[in-house]
Amino acid sequence: MHNLATRAARFMAICGGLVLALLILLICISVVGRSLNGVLHGWIGTAFPAVSAWLLQAGVGPINGDFELVEAGVAFSIFSFLPLCQISGGHASVDIFTSKLPRGVNRGLQMVIDTVFAFALIIMAYQLYKGMLSKLSYGDTTFLLQFPIWWAYAASLVGAVMAAVISVYVACVRVMELATGQDVITDETGMG
C-alpha cells in the first residue's frame, strides 16, 4: 500500500513540476516579447518602421493572458506537490523541544499532527470542490483569455483530493505506528 501511495504522490509531483516548468518558459517568452515590443515601438520603430510593423503584425509581444495562465498553473502545481510532501514528511517543522522527548511521545505528537493535517486537507479539498461548483454555475471566465475559471479549480481539485487521500493514509499509518511501536513511514532524515 505504501509503495502505491508513494508512486501516486510522485506522479502528482511530476505533473506539478512539468506544469511549473512550462509556466517558467511561458513567463520567459512573455517577458522577452514584452521587451521586444517596447523596442519595436521605440527606436527600431523610428529607424526601421517597415520592419517594426512587420514584426508587430507577426505577433511579437507579450503573451496575452499570461498572468491568468500562471495563476491557474501555480495553483495546480501547489496542490500537486502536497501529496509527496505529506507522504515523505517534507513539511517544515521546528523540533527544538521535541527532539529531547522519548520516541513514543514523538510518535504520539506526529500522529496528532498528521491527523489534524488530514482533516485540514479534507476541508480544503471540499471547499475547493464547492468553489469549483460555484464558478461552474455562474459561468465565470477569466478576463483576457475567457476560459472558464472552474477549469483551474478542477485541475487543482485533483491534487487536493490526492493530498487528502494520502494524508488520511499517513494518519492511519501513524496510528498503527503508535500502537505497534514500529516505523512504517520514515522521512528523509530516517526518523519516523
Side-chain angles (χ1 to χ4, degrees), residues 26-41 56 59-63:
L26 173 99
I27 291 168
C28 291
I29 292 169
S30 190
V31 167
V32 168
R34 189 170 285 115
S35 296
L36 286 174
N37 190 286
V39 171
L40 291 174
H41 280 98
L56 289 169
V60 172
I63 296 174

Side-chain angles (χ1 to χ4, degrees), residues 36-109:
L36 286 174
N37 190 286
V39 171
L40 291 174
H41 280 98
W43 68 271
I44 291 182
T46 305
F48 306 101
V51 172
S52 177
W54 179 76
L55 287 172
L56 289 169
Q57 284 181 338
V60 172
I63 296 174
N64 188 34
D66 56 353
F67 65 92
E68 294 172 351
L69 296 172
V70 169
E71 184 179 323
V74 167
F76 170 77
S77 293
I78 289 169
F79 281 108
S80 295
F81 296 142
L82 277 175
L84 184 60
C85 191
Q86 181 65 15
I87 201 159
S88 66
H91 297 290
S93 65
V94 179
D95 57 357
I96 294 170
F97 302 110
T98 59
S99 63
K100 305 294 183 203
L101 295 174
R103 184 91 168 143
V105 173
N106 277 324
R107 275 197 181 107
L109 285 172

Side-chain angles (χ1 to χ4, degrees), residues 61-185:
I63 296 174
N64 188 34
D66 56 353
F67 65 92
E68 294 172 351
L69 296 172
V70 169
E71 184 179 323
V74 167
F76 170 77
S77 293
I78 289 169
F79 281 108
S80 295
F81 296 142
L82 277 175
L84 184 60
C85 191
Q86 181 65 15
I87 201 159
S88 66
H91 297 290
S93 65
V94 179
D95 57 357
I96 294 170
F97 302 110
T98 59
S99 63
K100 305 294 183 203
L101 295 174
R103 184 91 168 143
V105 173
N106 277 324
R107 275 197 181 107
L109 285 172
Q110 192 63 51
M111 183 207 62
V112 169
I113 290 166
D114 286 333
T115 302
V116 169
F117 205 77
F119 281 117
L121 284 172
I122 290 168
I123 291 168
M124 288 169 62
Y126 177 69
Q127 292 299 323
L128 192 59
Y129 173 72
K130 283 178 42 180
M132 180 193 72
L133 292 180
S134 171
K135 299 299 179 188
L136 179 63
S137 69
Y138 287 112
D140 291 347
T141 60
T142 61
F143 182 67
L144 294 175
L145 297 178
Q146 295 294 306
F147 72 80
I149 292 175
W150 74 267
W151 290 356
Y153 277 74
S156 297
L157 185 60
V158 172
V161 167
M162 180 65 75
V165 168
I166 296 286
S167 67
V168 167
Y169 164 74
V170 169
C172 291
V173 167
R174 296 298 185 203
V175 169
M176 286 186 343
E177 287 178 343
L178 184 65
T180 64
Q182 300 284 331
D183 287 336
V184 176
I185 298 176

